[in-house]
Amino acid sequence: MKSWMLAVIVACNVQLVHKSKSSQINYHNSMFTIFSSSSIQNLASHSGKMSLSTNCILSPYSEITKRLLADSSIPCYTQNYAHKSTYSEEAWHKARINPFLRFIHTVKWTPIPLGLGFAFIAFQQFRHVKKREIAKITSTKNPNELLASDFSVSMYTMLPLRAASRAWGWMLKRELPQPIRAPLLNLFISTYDCNIKEAVIEDINQYRSLGEFFGRQLKKEVRPIHPGKCLVSPADGQILHFGRIENGLIEQVKGITYSLKSFLGLKSLNPEEDLLITDDKYEKGLLMNKDNVLYHCVIYLAPGDYHKFHSPAEWSVHHRRHFHGELLSVCPGIVSWIAGLFNLNERVVYSGEWQHGFFSLTAVGATNVGSIKVYFDETLYTNRKKCKKGTCEEMHFEPPVNITERGQPFGEFNLGSTIVLIFEAPKDINFNIEVGQKIKYGELISFCNPHCAT
């Protein structure tokens, strides 16, 4: 530092205060160097400027002060200058020997970000609402009392869920940086209780993106296919509901149903024909054997489940119908809240025949699961930007796609979603599952012939 810089500091009447090394507690008990008026005049004469009468107070313990004085030939006079202490000597002595008081004195208060405060309030409100809804569900006897109003459903459908799902699909394809790859995947594994030891690749560092992790292949020995002429689970998940379809209505949850005709769609998609065909007539029209009945089974894939789905039986796929719709959540809580949820959501219906007659497998889209991939159907493109909700696209497979093995890979989701099976079978069929049961793909749902169970 040169003399002219000292002159600038003096002219600006700058006060530099540095915390004393001898006292880490009190900022006010410091030693200061005061330049006298004669020193200021000498400084002005050295720098060729007019004499200044402004005083400059500098701390002798500051590194800046030491450098200024070392680089200058100006004689300085020091004196002790003590500010008034707000604490007595006895109080400071206690603070020095008491570690708790010393800690409190050194604590620096930092303001909480506004967003963090709102997040905490939202979390508390979510806990309150969740407890209230659980209490409401356990206390009510009529399921219709739990259904959302038309206004609530309209507000829910106004959310940009389709755009959010496309953004999620884009993020799944991005390669994860190596430093955060393992921590992020380990967090997901611990949160959703994934069993990475079932995967062919157990080293999570080898999964370059979330998409690769969700589409991981499992070891064949961990998913044996149940032997015999039977219907097996197409995916890992939870059984939401199953049973017989009556009067053309599918039971969504206990006491709440939705239309089979609206779910699968009419063969001709003619609006005039829709008014003429009742639900009961539509159900009977699907049967190939009048002595059989229609059954359904709904399997929910949670985010932590294996995201691929497989064929539950040997059958031939004749037709595909793609319904453009919403991407509402299909978790059990939302399913019990919105009536006809599966008829609102985007879905892909594959229908054909198996040994007992009609058979269909439907992949239902959901929030962050706008992309549905089917391996033998390369023309399928879900969650498109320019598509009108409520419309439908059809495709006939000529020749039909023959699936010759149970457990054969069929397709995959980006994240957990729902598979709905609707099939024709004899009246005395027996299911080997329960509502709420966790099931793995390849496990038994029902024998095709009831006599095979023995």
Side-chain angles (χ1 to χ4, degrees):
M1 294 290 181
K2 301 301 180 181
S3 299
W4 65 271
M5 299 186 70
L6 281 172
V8 172
I9 296 176
V10 172
C12 296
N13 194 22
V14 177
Q15 183 180 10
L16 301 177
V17 181
H18 190 275
K19 191 172 182 180
S20 173
K21 292 183 180 179
S22 62
S23 176
Q24 297 294 332
I25 302 175
N26 189 3
Y27 277 98
H28 304 293
N29 295 338
S30 301
M31 300 293 295
F32 297 92
T33 300
I34 304 177
F35 290 93
S36 62
S37 59
S38 60
S39 299
I40 298 172
Q41 292 176 0
N42 292 335
L43 174 63
S45 63
H46 280 284
S47 58
K49 307 253 181 179
M50 295 181 60
S51 61
L52 301 174
S53 60
T54 309
N55 293 334
C56 178
I57 305 175
L58 300 173
S59 168
Y61 298 99
S62 171
E63 292 296 330
I64 298 177
T65 305
K66 292 179 181 179
R67 292 179 182 179
L68 290 174
L69 296 178
D71 294 342
S72 176
S73 58
I74 303 174
C76 300
Y77 302 93
T78 61
Q79 69 176 30
N80 293 340
Y81 181 84
H83 287 278
K84 290 184 178 180
S85 177
T86 56
Y87 300 93
S88 63
E89 294 294 334
E90 182 180 357
W92 282 117
H93 178 70
K94 291 181 179 179
R96 293 177 62 184
I97 63 176
N98 191 324
F100 177 74
L101 294 178
R102 188 163 62 250
F103 171 76
I104 292 298
H105 183 76
T106 56
V107 168
K108 294 183 180 180
W109 295 96
T110 304
I112 298 177
L114 190 62
L116 184 60
F118 280 120
F120 177 76
I121 295 173
F123 175 72
Q124 294 296 333
Q125 181 65 16
F126 172 76
R127 292 181 58 190
H128 173 72
V129 172
K130 185 177 180 180
K131 291 181 180 179
R132 183 185 65 191
E133 292 301 319
I134 292 175
K136 185 178 179 180
I137 292 173
T138 55
S139 62
T140 186
K141 296 182 180 180
N142 185 8
N144 292 321
E145 296 178 359
L146 304 176
L147 294 179
S149 62
D150 293 339
F151 175 77
S152 299
V153 176
S154 299
M155 295 299 294
Y156 188 14
T157 55
M158 291 176 62
L159 297 175
L161 299 178
R162 299 182 65 87
S165 298
R166 285 191 290 268
W168 172 253
W170 176 87
M171 188 175 68
L172 287 179
K173 300 176 182 178
R174 302 300 83 147
E175 184 173 350
L176 297 174
Q178 191 65 38
I180 69 171
R181 185 177 300 175
L184 182 62
L185 294 179
N186 280 325
L187 177 62
F188 184 88
I189 290 171
S190 60
T191 302
Y192 293 103
D193 195 21
C194 300
N195 189 357
I196 192 63
K197 293 183 179 180
E198 294 181 340
V200 174
I201 302 176
E202 298 185 21
D203 184 9
I204 59 176
N205 288 300
Q206 295 188 33
Y207 296 102
R208 296 173 297 176
S209 65
L210 289 173
E212 287 188 4
F213 176 75
F214 293 155
R216 63 191 181 276
Q217 293 185 356
L218 300 184
K219 302 172 183 175
K220 291 184 178 181
E221 59 269 20
V222 301
R223 293 292 186 274
I225 307 301
H226 196 281
K229 293 290 184 178
C230 58
L231 185 69
V232 299
S233 174
D236 292 5
Q238 178 184 1
I239 303 295
L240 290 188
H241 209 276
F242 68 93
R244 181 174 173 176
I245 299 175
E246 298 181 355
N247 302 320
L249 299 177
I250 308 174
E251 193 164 16
Q252 181 171 320
V253 292
K254 187 176 181 179
I256 301 174
T257 60
Y258 58 98
S259 171
L260 174 66
K261 178 179 65 174
S262 299
F263 182 74
L264 296 180
L266 294 172
K267 294 182 179 180
S268 63
L269 297 178
N270 188 346
E272 296 181 358
E273 186 180 355
D274 191 5
L275 299 175
L276 299 175
I277 299 179
T278 62
D279 291 325
D280 184 52
K281 186 177 180 180
Y282 179 82
E283 176 190 349
K284 293 179 180 179
L286 293 177
L287 295 174
M288 298 181 181
N289 186 342
K290 301 305 178 183
D291 295 329
N292 292 340
V293 294
L294 287 179
Y295 296 92
H296 78 285
C297 180
V298 182
I299 303 173
Y300 167 67
L301 287 72
D305 290 326
Y306 171 65
H307 293 340
K308 294 182 179 180
F309 52 96
H310 302 249
S311 178
E314 298 95 346
W315 63 300
S316 58
V317 184
H318 295 178
H319 183 258
R320 181 253 285 170
R321 185 169 286 144
H322 177 201
F323 292 89
H324 302 286
E326 307 291 344
L327 289 177
L328 308 180
S329 174
V330 293
C331 68
I334 301 298
V335 170
S336 62
W337 185 55
I338 299 179
L341 173 63
F342 297 139
N343 285 350
L344 296 176
N345 271 18
E346 182 167 5
R347 60 196 182 276
V348 184
V349 180
Y350 289 92
S351 58
E353 299 179 13
W354 73 324
Q355 61 175 336
H356 292 294
F358 176 80
F359 193 93
S360 71
L361 183 150
T362 302
V364 182
T367 305
N368 293 335
V369 200
S371 176
I372 301 173
K373 182 179 180 180
V374 175
Y375 301 133
F376 63 81
D377 189 1
E378 297 180 355
T379 61
L380 177 65
Y381 181 27
T382 58
N383 193 19
R384 296 199 296 267
K385 291 184 179 180
K386 296 181 180 180
C387 64
K388 186 178 180 181
K389 296 179 182 178
T391 59
C392 176
E393 297 178 0
E394 289 188 283
M395 180 177 179
H396 293 272
F397 297 100
E398 296 292 346
V401 178
N402 293 317
I403 299 178
T404 58
E405 295 181 3
R406 289 173 291 110
Q408 180 176 325
F410 199 94
E412 62 184 70
F413 295 111
N414 275 346
L415 203 61
S417 191
T418 299
I419 296 290
V420 179
L421 301 178
I422 297 176
F423 56 94
E424 179 181 348
K427 295 180 180 179
D428 54 352
I429 190 173
N430 294 320
F431 285 94
N432 294 268
I433 52 177
E434 296 179 356
V435 174
Q437 171 188 338
K438 294 292 291 184
I439 195 170
K440 305 294 185 181
Y441 99 77
E443 292 183 351
L444 178 65
I445 290 181
S446 175
F447 282 101
C448 302
N449 188 340
H451 300 291
C452 294
T454 60

